[in-house]
């Protein structure tokens, strides 16, 4: 018979501490596997993230973890107590013997758990010691009540879900998160204000689709290039927040708030929505992070001195999945996986070519951006760019 540990919890969100504890139990507890059991309705605290989101994050977190399993037994409506999970667990794992993982702080209350007697006849327990918790007396009592229980040494982790939630609320990438979980959190704005309903009223459905595409691509690129994921997601989400405004309103706002002195920007909606967007992001959405605001402000013509995050959003805007194919798109996507400065540079070259063909002027501030990003490129990146230039817009 398979002996499986069961780690119930809120997993709001799942982090490296949970995974390490499960592995520790696996190693020391003579188990064949450990099942993560996220509870839809945690007993002691309302969860911040929805049950489906917490389940999805658990699934991502164990994808590459040998011996870790996931159960939906805690997700069914009406499931509240550990006892409620036994029957669904049995259905999911018919051949298993279950050993619930608990901390020593739970020992005192264990004999009073819902349906304790039946529960003790159906499963065992593995209990992690906890410093400051004298376990002997409680352990005696639990065993007298009929529980099969083994003790394990204390397990410590530097990570905490509440700390992660706090950091995420400030758009910081908290340590101790699986990269896939972090990306999921960023793409779903977990533990952050939900800007989606408001954004939807500010733009048409087509623009909104594009916005989600930019967020997704910005998160992907940030992951590849080691940039802050949460900030990339936020800037991607808000980059076009002013795009739905009329030219008249944008120009008025820009003049009133002194958003730009540049006459060619003040008369072009294609350019003006960037500085106005940065203004709205601050004013309407309460964003204070300068890097994020700059990424919104510079997403059309860039900026000499632009950061990697700005480049990431700039490129994602041009290459997101909903973009209709244009000359050089495939090439730009290829470049962006390897070098952000080269991709930004190439993107301007393509715009330049396009404007030349249609007899229109190239914005002079773009030239400054081009010179700036070229200066950042390593010899290797320059070689790569030259290769792509030779290829033309393929
Ligand atoms: Fe835009
Ligand atoms: Fe855009």
């Amino acid at each position: 018979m398979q002996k499986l540990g069961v780690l119930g919890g809120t997993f709001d969100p799942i982090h490296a501490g949970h995974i390490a504890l499960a592995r520790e139990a696996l190693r020391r507890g003579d188990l064949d596997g450990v099942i993560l059991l996220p509870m839809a309705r945690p007993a002691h605290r309302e969860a911040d993230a929805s049950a489906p989101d917490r389940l999805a994050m658990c699934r991502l977190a164990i994808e590459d973890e040998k011996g870790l399993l996931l159960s939906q037994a805690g997700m069914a409506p009406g499931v509240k107590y550990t006892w409620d999970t036994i029957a669904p667990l049995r259905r999911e794992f018919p051949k298993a013997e279950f050993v619930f993982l608990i901390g020593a702080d739970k020992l005192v209350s264990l004999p009073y758990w819902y349906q304790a007697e039946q529960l003790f006849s159906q499963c065992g327990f593995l209990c992690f010691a906890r410093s400051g918790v004298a376990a002997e007396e409680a352990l005696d009592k639990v065993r007298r009540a009929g529980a099969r229980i083994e003790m394990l040494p204390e397990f410590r982790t530097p990570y905490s879900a509440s700390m992660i939630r706090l950091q995420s609320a400030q758009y910081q990438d908290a340590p101790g998160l699986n990269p896939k979980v972090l990306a999921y959190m960023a793409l779903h704005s977990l533990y952050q204000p939900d800007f989606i309903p408001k954004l939807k009223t500010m733009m048409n459905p087509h623009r909104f689709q594009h916005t989600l595409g930019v967020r997704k691509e910005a998160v992907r690129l940030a992951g590849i290039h080691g940039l802050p994921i949460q900030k990339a997601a936020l800037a991607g989400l808000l980059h076009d927040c002013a795009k739905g405004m009329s030219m008249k309103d944008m120009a008025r706002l820009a003049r009133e708030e002194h958003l730009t002195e540049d006459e060619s920007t003040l008369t072009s909606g294609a350019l003006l929505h960037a500085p106005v967007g940065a203004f709205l992001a601050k004013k309407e959405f309460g964003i204070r992070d300068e890097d994020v605001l700059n990424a919104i402000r510079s997403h059309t013509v860039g900026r000499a001195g632009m950061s990697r995050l700005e480049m990431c959003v700039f490129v994602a805007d041009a290459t997101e999945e909903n973009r209709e194919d244009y000359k050089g798109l495939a090439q730009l996507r290829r470049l962006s996986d390897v070098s952000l400065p080269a991709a930004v540079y190439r993107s301007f070259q393509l715009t330049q070519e396009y404007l030349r063909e249609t007899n229109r002027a190239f914005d002079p501030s773009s030239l400054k951006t081009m010179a700036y990003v070229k200066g950042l490129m390593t010899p290797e990146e320059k070689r790569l760019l030259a290769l792509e230039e030779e290829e033309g817009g393929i």
Side-chain angles (χ1 to χ4, degrees):
M1 197 183 231
Q2 245 189 339
K3 192 171 160 193
L4 297 178
V6 182
L7 180 58
T10 319
F11 301 108
D12 193 20
I14 185 161
H15 56 70
H18 299 122
I19 299 293
L21 182 130
R23 275 205 225 109
E24 182 78 352
L26 196 59
R27 195 166 64 86
R28 290 182 176 264
D30 187 28
L31 303 171
D32 299 301
V34 170
I35 304 167
L36 302 186
L37 177 70
M39 300 295 282
R41 305 205 154 277
H44 303 296
R45 186 186 69 81
E46 276 299 306
D48 283 358
S50 74
D53 279 336
R54 288 182 285 119
L55 185 71
M57 288 190 282
C58 285
R59 188 169 288 126
L60 290 171
I62 63 161
E63 258 176 12
D64 306 316
E65 296 287 342
K66 220 169 157 259
L68 299 198
L69 306 155
L70 180 62
S71 166
Q72 303 209 28
M75 290 285 126
V79 168
K80 190 171 172 196
Y81 302 104
T82 301
W83 170 250
D84 301 328
T85 65
I86 297 290
L89 272 172
R90 287 233 173 288
R91 283 195 292 278
E92 275 184 87
F93 305 95
K95 295 208 173 83
E97 174 194 344
F98 300 118
V99 182
F100 279 80
L101 311 181
I102 60 171
D105 53 317
K106 299 276 162 54
L107 277 178
V108 174
S109 66
L110 192 54
Y112 308 103
W113 279 19
Y114 183 64
Q115 303 285 33
E117 219 172 289
Q118 277 158 289
L119 184 68
F120 296 165
S121 71
Q122 296 284 319
C123 64
F125 293 87
L126 261 179
C127 178
F128 285 93
R130 195 156 284 188
S131 60
V133 178
E136 282 75 25
E137 203 182 314
L139 194 59
D140 262 3
K141 201 169 170 193
V142 168
R143 283 186 172 137
R144 275 202 306 273
R148 286 162 291 143
I149 186 162
E150 306 281 336
M151 290 299 290
L152 290 180
E154 180 167 28
F155 177 83
R156 282 171 189 268
T157 168
Y159 307 111
S160 93
S162 58
M163 189 56 89
I164 291 171
R165 290 195 299 275
L166 267 177
Q167 287 174 293
S168 299
Q170 292 158 12
Y171 301 98
Q172 288 167 10
D173 297 348
L177 287 170
N178 178 303
K180 285 183 258 182
V181 172
L182 177 60
Y184 184 95
M185 283 167 52
L187 288 178
H188 295 80
S189 305
L190 295 189
Y191 315 114
Q192 293 161 357
D194 182 10
F195 294 148
I196 298 285
K198 190 178 168 103
L199 263 184
K200 273 185 168 167
T201 67
M202 296 170 78
M203 56 183 70
N204 65 36
H206 178 74
R207 180 64 46 187
F208 182 69
Q209 263 320 104
H210 162 70
T211 287
L212 296 185
V214 174
R215 173 170 70 173
K216 188 171 166 192
E217 182 61 8
V219 164
R220 195 187 71 84
L221 288 174
I224 291 178
H225 296 288
L227 298 169
I229 306 275
Q230 300 272 13
K231 291 182 185 183
L234 179 63
L237 188 68
L238 296 181
H239 84 286
D240 269 348
C241 69
K243 194 79 181 185
M245 280 176 83
S246 71
M247 186 59 215
K248 204 174 127 214
D249 287 346
M250 277 199 287
R252 185 179 44 78
L253 196 61
R255 285 187 200 279
E256 274 172 19
E257 301 290 339
H258 308 288
L259 301 182
T260 174
E261 304 297 319
D262 184 52
E263 269 310 310
S264 62
T265 305
L266 278 166
T267 51
S268 158
L271 301 181
L272 192 52
H273 77 280
V276 174
F279 176 78
L280 291 186
K282 193 171 184 176
K283 197 93 177 156
E284 299 280 321
F285 295 93
I287 306 307
R288 289 282 171 273
D289 189 282
E290 276 306 320
D291 208 7
V292 170
L293 295 175
N294 281 339
I296 299 170
R297 197 176 289 120
S298 72
H299 86 266
T300 51
V301 290
R303 163 175 90 84
M306 72 196 293
S307 70
R308 300 268 161 176
L309 183 76
E310 291 174 68
M311 293 181 211
C312 166
V313 175
F314 181 94
V315 173
D317 189 27
T319 59
E320 60 99 2
E321 61 188 10
N322 303 298
R323 279 272 181 216
E324 264 185 50
D325 198 19
Y326 58 85
K327 193 176 159 208
L329 175 58
Q331 188 184 57
L332 214 48
R333 285 183 175 146
R334 250 191 337 258
L335 265 178
S336 69
D337 283 357
V338 189
S339 163
L340 287 175
V344 170
Y345 191 86
R346 187 66 190 138
S347 169
F348 279 118
Q349 277 186 324
L350 292 167
T351 309
Q352 231 170 1
E353 272 172 41
Y354 173 74
L355 291 174
R356 204 178 299 128
E357 280 164 22
T358 52
N359 275 324
R360 281 183 287 172
F362 189 61
D363 187 85
S365 47
S366 306
L367 290 172
K368 286 189 199 142
T369 308
M370 285 178 87
Y372 175 74
V373 291
K374 191 150 203 183
L376 294 179
M377 283 185 230
T378 62
E380 191 56 43
E381 287 174 309
K382 281 185 183 147
R383 253 196 306 280
L384 186 70
L385 176 69
L387 277 176
E388 296 286 1
E389 281 170 345
E390 258 172 54
E391 291 251 334
I394 301 163

